[in-house]
Amino acid sequence: MKRYLDPPENEWAALTIRPSSESKDIDARVRKIIDDVRTNGDKAVIDYTKRFDNADLTSLRVPDVEIMASPKMVSRELKDAIELARETIGKFHASQVITETATETAPGVKCWRKNVPVEKVGLYIPGGTAPLFSTVLMLGIPAVTAGCKRIIVCTPPDSTGSANPVILYTCSILGINEIYLAGGAQAIAAMAFGTESIPAVYKIFGPGNRYVTVAKQMVSLENIAIDLPAGPSEVAVIADETADPEFIAADLISQAEHGPDSQVLLVCSDQGLIEKVQKELHRQLADLPRRELAEQSLQKSRIIHLNSREEIIELVNEYAPEHLIIMCRDYGDAGIQVKNAGSVFMGPFTPESAGDYASGTNHTLPAGGYARVYSGLGLKDFQKRISFQEISEKGLKNLGPAIIAMAREEKLEGHGRAVEIRLSKITDNIG
Amino acid sequence: MKRYLDPPENEWAALTIRPSSESKDIDARVRKIIDDVRTNGDKAVIDYTKRFDNADLTSLRVPDVEIMASPKMVSRELKDAIELARETIGKFHASQVITETATETAPGVKCWRKNVPVEKVGLYIPGGTAPLFSTVLMLGIPAVTAGCKRIIVCTPPDSTGSANPVILYTCSILGINEIYLAGGAQAIAAMAFGTESIPAVYKIFGPGNRYVTVAKQMVSLENIAIDLPAGPSEVAVIADETADPEFIAADLISQAEHGPDSQVLLVCSDQGLIEKVQKELHRQLADLPRRELAEQSLQKSRIIHLNSREEIIELVNEYAPEHLIIMCRDYGDAGIQVKNAGSVFMGPFTPESAGDYASGTNHTLPAGGYARVYSGLGLKDFQKRISFQEISEKGLKNLGPAIIAMAREEKLEGHGRAVEIRLSKITDNIG
């Protein structure tokens, strides 16, 4: 990691730049896959699965019997872990259920909103060597809690044509049994436009490689909603002299092991700590299975020393990290000053990996600076809000003249007349 | 309007198709404008303003003195109307302020979310012959209520180089005084990437023509958030034999006058009503200032008769209208069954134009079927939600084994170790 000692504020922008990951080169390839799936349906999905996943499929849907067999493939220990995560994630997302009450905005004028589930949602779950069954929980739990009527999952098969059993098991405990064997851009296209087997959905959720990301962006321009713009994962750590360098190094590594385009940033007010963290990084990397990936990521990462708490918070808000770990004496106070971040981990015993799996918060978060404007996933992303208004005769007498005056000024005479024709039929003794 | 008597369900999809508005032909032109503004900043904006708005500008920002002079240009009647609308819209959006409480998802594990304003937002307000000052209220009020720190407005000048005074006045009463003279795709590009005069913002809101819509879509792929995908405005009306045909005709016309690509849909259970509505349409159109536009829109629109309430609701949910007016005996009951709509107008004295101006709900709504998955604008669109978690030593002892088991299964050993290293330092007498 490169070190920066008390950089002046005009250098901060450069220090908070993410490693670039241009996607222009794959746009044309993704466009071709999307068009192909749109035109040729199942056949195209099956062809691409042969090509990219090396699997021969005759049908795309995972048979019920395979889902029912999945519990046998999962250890007791892992089942217990998944169950615990299901409970915490379930509790936190259930706490997001909101019933809004009506507001009388003027006498006789009542307005309210209703949260209604998005009827059809598609969850994309990456497969491969590290199947993300935790993402099944993070997407499936809010979808089920919101009451989405049709929840489908797409996940790529292994070369024998099977889905990962832990993914199947996790779906099954949430009651999700409509699972399709499809990965990459072809899965996104199938969920966006539908094929003979895979139904079109209204909104697509889930992480993936650059093909998946670009495909989601492309279909989002054509009537399909997507969860969040995606970017490589990242963490910022705020630390002072009270922080444990072993914890810091472990957190930095746990982020860096995601891959070479991940980024970590340590911002601290204690120079002595920097030495200790770097020593610890060296020690802890030694026997890490994904050492090579983590080292590549750390090479592009930064340690920044700043003297004041104010500067540290300001720089972090400018960076807008996906994950922010705060390990300093008064972490509660620092947390209150955070304005731009996806998810914040407070205090020494709250590692970022807790949020990835089991604290209860969602791990689908805005990276790449998107935390300035986007939120992590929550219940509301599986709902939409319909507004309602009900106006009484008295209410329309109150509002009517204002509506007519404004409509005329905007040259929309018909808008005013829809009010006038009603006012003409309201008897005088009302209101 | 074309009539359809009891169409079978397999014909509904065709009956709920929107008039198409292909935008492929303007993509290249918008791309050029965006690239030009990105490269040449103010100069490009000034050049395009000369070309498209026929105005010679030397600077882009509206001077404070012009804003301060605007009240003199607005009639007392219109000021009162705007003030009333400001109150109702203000009340309804203030009712959307939420403070979430923390949830203990497991012993020693506390999770919560905080709503934080998006720091910099840009509001686009169309100008031209019908300046949409009402949109200043609909975008500005939630932005101010959310606490957005920097709120800028872009609006095109008239040929003398001035902004519309009612737009300036409406901005001024909301405390918005950073207003720039820029319209169309050049305004969107300026707010997305910044120029010498116009600051880059994080999120762009507001309606506009197809150039604006395409520009918003394009910049949304490059780190900038936008409010909603846009489409031509539309209304569906549900009516039974108790509905007043004069009211229905007035509502259909008030939607149709927006322009030839607007669409209206009347779904009713009473055949006699259809005759009466058509007669009323004819009568009310006679002296409408925007008669020609309304007639073009009505030609593409439909009246559908269906026998049962269930079928009517089902068809409307399939259509997913931006605006839905319910004028039938038990409109409250029907409203409860609505699953897909932007904003719903309940009962005989709730015309759609009330929601456009002064009932309190937002008039920025999902059209073109987007109501299946998107919501109308609300306070939350000017905020993002940051999630927080704080885990005690005891909490980590509880969760730790689950996190480690799940991380290992996902081949992320470093994630597990960030927990293990902490567990190793927790003394046994805790928890």
Side-chain angles (χ1 to χ4, degrees):
Chain A
M1 291 176 79
K2 286 194 200 107
R3 297 198 220 181
Y4 300 85
L5 201 62
D6 306 325
E9 202 167 336
N10 60 18
E11 287 175 16
W12 293 4
L15 294 179
T16 55
I17 280 180
R18 270 78 178 175
S20 74
S21 53
E22 272 297 308
S23 67
K24 291 242 175 347
D25 48 320
I26 69 164
D27 281 10
R29 277 188 278 173
V30 172
R31 169 54 57 206
K32 191 175 168 310
I33 295 171
I34 290 176
D35 290 345
D36 196 4
V37 171
R38 203 171 184 172
T39 312
N40 301 310
D42 281 356
K43 191 188 166 303
V45 176
I46 287 171
D47 286 352
Y48 285 114
T49 307
K50 173 73 190 158
R51 212 161 115 193
F52 296 133
D53 302 305
N54 201 25
D56 284 302
L57 300 179
T58 47
S59 76
L60 292 175
R61 181 148 178 184
V62 176
D64 284 347
V65 22
E66 219 165 289
I67 300 172
M68 284 187 291
S70 65
K72 279 177 292 188
M73 319 276 282
V74 182
S75 72
R76 184 73 262 161
E77 185 198 14
L78 189 56
K79 277 180 188 160
D80 288 345
I82 291 172
E83 186 52 36
L84 177 59
R86 177 161 88 125
E87 274 174 38
T88 57
I89 300 164
K91 269 190 201 165
F92 190 55
H93 289 79
S95 80
Q96 295 166 22
V97 174
I98 292 170
T99 312
E100 298 183 32
T101 53
T103 302
E104 192 168 30
T105 57
V109 183
K110 209 171 72 175
C111 299
W112 68 99
R113 298 195 307 176
K114 196 167 81 170
N115 286 290
V116 179
V118 175
E119 208 180 320
K120 302 179 197 172
V121 296
L123 317 182
Y124 182 73
I125 308 295
T129 51
L132 295 186
F133 61 90
S134 62
T135 303
V136 176
L137 296 171
M138 295 293 178
L139 304 179
I141 289 173
V144 169
T145 307
C148 299
K149 209 163 125 189
R150 192 162 190 182
I151 304 170
I152 71 166
V153 164
C154 278
T155 190
D158 63 18
S159 62
T160 72
S162 298
N164 176 276
V166 188
I167 288 176
L168 294 184
Y169 169 75
T170 312
C171 287
S172 76
I173 64 168
L174 299 180
I176 298 171
N177 54 36
E178 196 173 344
I179 306 168
Y180 298 94
L181 296 166
Q186 60 274 21
I188 303 303
M191 291 194 278
F193 306 113
T195 69
E196 298 88 333
S197 305
I198 302 175
V201 298
Y202 299 151
K203 190 167 185 178
I204 297 172
F205 297 79
N209 59 21
R210 276 165 57 198
Y211 284 81
V212 169
T213 301
V214 172
K216 280 171 67 186
Q217 280 196 328
M218 285 185 180
V219 302
S220 78
L221 298 181
E222 303 200 47
N223 236 323
I224 316 300
I226 60 170
D227 49 357
L228 271 182
S233 198
E234 68 210 11
V235 74
V237 178
I238 294 178
D240 68 6
E241 70 286 358
T242 67
D244 186 322
E246 292 183 36
F247 295 1
I248 296 174
D251 289 342
L252 297 177
I253 287 172
S254 91
Q255 187 61 45
E257 74 172 343
H258 276 293
D261 53 3
S262 287
Q263 191 182 45
V264 306
L265 187 69
L266 169 61
V267 195
C268 77
S269 56
D270 183 50
Q271 287 197 43
L273 189 68
I274 296 177
E275 287 306 334
K276 291 178 208 153
V277 169
Q278 289 205 308
K279 216 174 267 176
E280 265 303 311
L281 282 173
H282 190 73
R283 193 181 68 80
Q284 292 184 27
L285 278 167
D287 65 339
L288 186 77
R290 294 163 78 102
R291 172 179 183 161
E292 212 174 309
L293 292 174
E295 280 180 341
Q296 284 177 52
S297 158
L298 288 169
Q299 267 160 25
K300 295 183 215 155
S301 296
R302 304 180 175 106
I303 300 180
I304 301 171
H305 178 271
L306 288 169
N307 277 309
S308 77
R309 163 64 53 81
E310 290 66 37
E311 285 177 303
I312 289 177
I313 291 284
E314 208 182 313
L315 183 135
V316 165
N317 279 329
E318 191 164 311
Y319 182 55
E322 180 189 18
H323 305 101
L324 172 63
I325 304 176
I326 308 182
M327 284 192 268
C328 57
R329 195 183 287 107
D330 48 348
Y331 59 83
D333 214 54
I336 290 169
Q337 297 170 61
V338 174
K339 283 183 191 162
N340 297 324
S343 197
V344 185
F345 300 81
M346 304 280 282
F349 291 97
T350 314
E352 187 273 324
S353 48
D356 284 341
Y357 294 110
S359 65
T361 60
N362 207 293
H363 75 196
T364 310
L365 296 166
Y370 281 114
R372 290 182 199 106
V373 60
Y374 287 94
S375 317
L377 225 58
L379 189 67
K380 71 156 191 56
D381 297 289
F382 294 83
Q383 302 171 319
K384 71 260 181 184
R385 278 144 296 285
I386 304 177
S387 58
F388 289 79
Q389 50 249 288
E390 183 177 354
I391 306 179
S392 68
E393 291 175 63
K394 183 182 156 189
L396 197 62
K397 277 189 84 169
N398 288 335
L399 288 191
I403 299 170
I404 295 166
M406 293 172 77
R408 292 231 163 101
E409 184 70 23
E410 291 191 354
K411 309 282 194 307
L412 294 169
E413 175 66 23
H415 283 57
R417 291 190 184 174
V419 173
E420 281 179 326
I421 204 161
R422 284 171 166 90
L423 291 181
S424 74
K425 296 200 182 179
I426 297 177
T427 52
D428 271 348
N429 58 354
I430 286 172
Chain B
M1 291 177 78
K2 287 197 199 106
R3 298 199 219 177
Y4 301 84
L5 200 64
D6 306 324
E9 202 165 335
N10 60 20
E11 286 175 17
W12 292 3
L15 294 179
T16 55
I17 281 180
R18 269 80 176 173
S20 74
S21 54
E22 272 297 308
S23 66
K24 291 242 172 354
D25 49 321
I26 71 163
D27 282 8
R29 278 187 279 172
V30 172
R31 169 54 57 209
K32 190 175 170 309
I33 296 172
I34 290 176
D35 291 345
D36 196 5
V37 172
R38 203 172 185 170
T39 312
N40 300 311
D42 281 355
K43 191 188 165 304
V45 176
I46 288 171
D47 286 351
Y48 285 114
T49 306
K50 174 73 190 153
R51 210 161 115 193
F52 297 134
D53 302 304
N54 201 25
D56 283 303
L57 299 179
T58 48
S59 76
L60 292 174
R61 180 147 177 187
V62 176
D64 284 346
V65 22
E66 219 165 289
I67 300 172
M68 283 187 291
S70 64
K72 280 178 290 186
M73 320 276 283
V74 181
S75 71
R76 184 74 261 161
E77 185 199 13
L78 188 57
K79 277 181 187 157
D80 288 344
I82 291 172
E83 186 51 38
L84 178 59
R86 178 162 88 125
E87 274 174 39
T88 56
I89 300 164
K91 269 189 201 167
F92 190 55
H93 288 80
S95 80
Q96 295 165 22
V97 174
I98 291 169
T99 311
E100 298 182 30
T101 53
T103 301
E104 192 168 29
T105 57
V109 183
K110 209 171 70 173
C111 300
W112 68 100
R113 299 195 305 176
K114 196 166 77 169
N115 286 289
V116 179
V118 175
E119 208 179 321
K120 301 178 198 174
V121 297
L123 317 182
Y124 181 73
I125 308 295
T129 52
L132 296 185
F133 62 89
S134 63
T135 303
V136 176
L137 296 171
M138 294 295 177
L139 304 178
I141 290 173
V144 170
T145 307
C148 299
K149 208 163 126 191
R150 191 162 192 183
I151 304 170
I152 70 166
V153 164
C154 277
T155 190
D158 63 18
S159 61
T160 74
S162 298
N164 176 276
V166 188
I167 289 177
L168 295 184
Y169 169 74
T170 312
C171 287
S172 76
I173 64 168
L174 300 181
I176 299 171
N177 52 35
E178 197 172 344
I179 306 169
Y180 297 95
L181 296 165
Q186 59 274 23
I188 303 304
M191 292 195 278
F193 306 113
T195 68
E196 299 87 335
S197 305
I198 303 175
V201 298
Y202 299 152
K203 190 168 185 178
I204 297 172
F205 298 79
N209 60 21
R210 277 164 56 196
Y211 284 80
V212 170
T213 300
V214 171
K216 281 171 65 186
Q217 280 195 328
M218 284 183 179
V219 302
S220 79
L221 298 181
E222 302 198 48
N223 236 323
I224 317 299
I226 60 170
D227 49 357
L228 272 181
S233 198
E234 69 209 9
V235 73
V237 178
I238 294 178
D240 66 8
E241 71 285 358
T242 67
D244 186 323
E246 292 183 35
F247 294 2
I248 296 174
D251 290 342
L252 297 177
I253 287 172
S254 90
Q255 187 61 45
E257 74 173 343
H258 276 293
D261 54 2
S262 286
Q263 191 182 46
V264 305
L265 187 70
L266 169 60
V267 195
C268 77
S269 56
D270 181 49
Q271 287 197 43
L273 188 68
I274 296 177
E275 286 308 332
K276 291 177 206 153
V277 169
Q278 289 204 307
K279 217 174 267 178
E280 266 303 313
L281 282 173
H282 189 72
R283 193 182 68 81
Q284 293 185 26
L285 278 167
D287 66 339
L288 187 78
R290 295 164 77 103
R291 173 178 182 162
E292 213 175 306
L293 292 173
E295 281 180 342
Q296 284 178 51
S297 158
L298 289 170
Q299 268 161 25
K300 295 185 213 150
S301 296
R302 302 180 177 108
I303 300 179
I304 301 172
H305 178 272
L306 287 169
N307 276 308
S308 76
R309 163 64 52 81
E310 290 65 39
E311 284 177 304
I312 289 177
I313 291 285
E314 207 181 313
L315 182 137
V316 165
N317 279 329
E318 192 164 312
Y319 182 55
E322 181 190 17
H323 305 100
L324 172 63
I325 304 175
I326 309 184
M327 283 192 268
C328 56
R329 193 181 288 106
D330 47 347
Y331 60 82
D333 213 55
I336 291 170
Q337 297 170 60
V338 174
K339 284 183 189 161
N340 296 323
S343 197
V344 184
F345 300 79
M346 305 280 281
F349 291 96
T350 314
E352 187 272 321
S353 48
D356 284 341
Y357 294 109
S359 65
T361 59
N362 207 292
H363 76 196
T364 310
L365 296 166
Y370 281 113
R372 289 182 199 104
V373 60
Y374 287 94
S375 317
L377 225 59
L379 188 69
K380 70 155 192 55
D381 297 289
F382 295 82
Q383 302 170 319
K384 69 262 183 186
R385 279 143 295 285
I386 304 178
S387 57
F388 289 80
Q389 48 248 291
E390 182 176 356
I391 305 179
S392 68
E393 293 176 62
K394 182 181 156 189
L396 197 62
K397 277 190 82 168
N398 288 335
L399 288 190
I403 299 169
I404 295 165
M406 292 173 77
R408 292 231 161 101
E409 184 70 24
E410 290 192 352
K411 311 280 196 308
L412 294 170
E413 176 67 22
H415 282 58
R417 290 190 185 174
V419 174
E420 281 178 327
I421 204 161
R422 285 170 166 90
L423 291 181
S424 74
K425 295 199 183 179
I426 298 176
T427 50
D428 272 347
N429 58 353
I430 286 176

